[in-house]
Amino acid sequence: MAAAVGAEAKPLIKVAAICGSLREGSYNRGLIRSAIEISKSSIPGVEIEHVEIAELPLLNTDLEGEGSFPPVVEAFRQKILAADSILFASPEYNYSVSAPLKNALDWASRPPNVWGDKAAAIVSASGGSGGSRSQYHLRQIGVFLDLHFINKPEFFLNAFGPPAKFDKNSNLIDAKTRENLKQVLLSLQAFTLRLQGR
């Protein structure tokens, strides 16, 4: 029996999760926390790390040395480089991605681009359309960065519509939404393994 279980085990993929909101009580941070919980409890072979972007300075190439970056930027770039795939939790600000997220995308794209050839997925919690316009802008940016996004399932969450999706601490509590998030992670896992030929 042990041999059969081992034969079915999927290779481990490491996912870097990035939240476009810096707010501690952000619903998008809540989505990342839930993704980590779901992967630990019910998706063998997926390891998600929340990679913070709050300490990154505004992009300024004067801060670059000869092939070097400020330590906080280099540490961020190394985490992206070491990841097999990326999970973005992107709020929608003025029909687009947030400034902190764009800044992180730009720093990690400085030569050599560390986003290249990685699988990626996007989830959003916002009002109205659930962050759809920010996702479409992020997909456009990803074309130049050589990121490969899963196409389905899409995940646009209207955080304010009934029934309640989050508790007072911005933890995801809606069972249907948690299942939808799980399906995104399963799709990202499968696509990552396919891209890597594993």
Side-chain angles (χ1 to χ4, degrees):
M1 178 65 74
V5 171
E8 294 173 4
K10 292 185 177 179
L12 176 67
I13 66 165
K14 294 184 176 183
V15 181
I18 298 173
C19 182
S21 173
L22 305 185
R23 192 170 63 87
E24 201 57 42
S26 162
Y27 290 146
N28 286 280
R29 282 179 175 266
L31 290 179
I32 288 179
R33 286 195 302 274
S34 290
I36 292 171
E37 293 166 5
I38 291 167
S39 66
K40 286 180 177 178
S41 65
S42 59
I43 310 181
V46 173
E47 181 180 284
I48 302 175
E49 178 185 2
H50 184 186
V51 179
E52 287 286 356
I53 62 174
E55 299 304 315
L56 294 174
L58 289 176
L59 181 70
N60 179 355
T61 55
D62 286 345
L63 299 177
E64 297 179 22
E66 287 293 329
S68 66
F69 299 90
V72 66
V73 173
E74 183 59 33
F76 172 71
R77 287 171 56 87
Q78 288 302 317
K79 285 184 179 291
I80 300 305
L81 188 62
D84 296 296
S85 55
I86 313 296
L87 175 66
F88 294 101
S90 178
E92 183 175 310
Y93 291 178
N94 300 321
Y95 281 21
S96 189
V97 299
S98 69
L101 178 55
K102 183 60 167 63
N103 188 55
L105 290 163
D106 291 343
W107 267 124
S109 73
R110 295 293 297 157
N113 170 30
V114 295
W115 300 111
D117 288 329
K118 294 186 187 295
I122 317 170
V123 296
S124 295
S126 197
S129 65
S132 60
R133 287 165 293 225
S134 73
Q135 289 202 23
Y136 297 142
H137 272 195
L138 183 50
R139 285 176 178 272
Q140 283 184 302
I141 296 165
V143 171
F144 187 78
L145 301 182
D146 291 325
L147 278 166
H148 306 294
F149 289 101
I150 64 169
N151 291 323
K152 291 185 176 61
E154 293 181 308
F155 188 103
F156 310 122
L157 179 62
N158 184 335
F160 307 104
K165 308 300 190 301
F166 298 90
D167 65 16
K168 64 180 182 180
N169 296 313
S170 300
N171 295 309
L172 185 62
I173 57 173
D174 182 62
K176 181 179 179 182
T177 304
R178 287 181 68 90
E179 179 58 30
N180 291 344
L181 181 56
K182 179 180 178 181
Q183 293 307 312
V184 170
L185 298 176
L186 288 169
S187 180
L188 179 61
Q189 179 186 35
F191 188 45
T192 301
L193 294 174
R194 183 153 63 90
L195 275 181
Q196 296 180 342
R198 293 200 272 168

